Amino acid sequence: QFTFNSTNNQLSISLEDDAAAPLIVDLSSLVADGSETIINVAGINTISGTGTAADPYIITATEVDGSV
């Protein structure tokens, strides 16, 4: 049996015929927070935001002909 707790990002694994306590796997290090993404811009392109859910990346790219 697998149970995922989205509050603390832990996965609990239990075997059907095993009386032992379930195995707990902490997956919190896999939660995206913006720090794992790097975006480089140059010239007339810009980026704002930190890449988190509260402050997502916004990338503005301008074509050579001036259209956005």
Side-chain angles (χ1 to χ4, degrees), residues 5-65:
N5 182 332
S6 60
T7 302
N8 60 11
N9 297 307
Q10 291 184 342
L11 179 66
S12 172
I13 303 170
S14 301
L15 299 176
E16 183 178 12
D17 295 330
D18 190 356
L23 171 66
I24 304 294
V25 181
D26 185 3
L27 301 174
S28 61
S29 66
L30 301 177
V31 176
D33 65 0
S35 66
E36 69 286 336
T37 303
I38 299 171
I39 301 175
N40 296 314
V41 297
I44 55 180
N45 302 316
T46 61
I47 183 171
S48 61
T50 59
T52 63
D55 187 25
Y57 287 126
I58 298 174
I59 302 169
T60 303
T62 305
E63 295 289 332
V64 175
D65 67 2

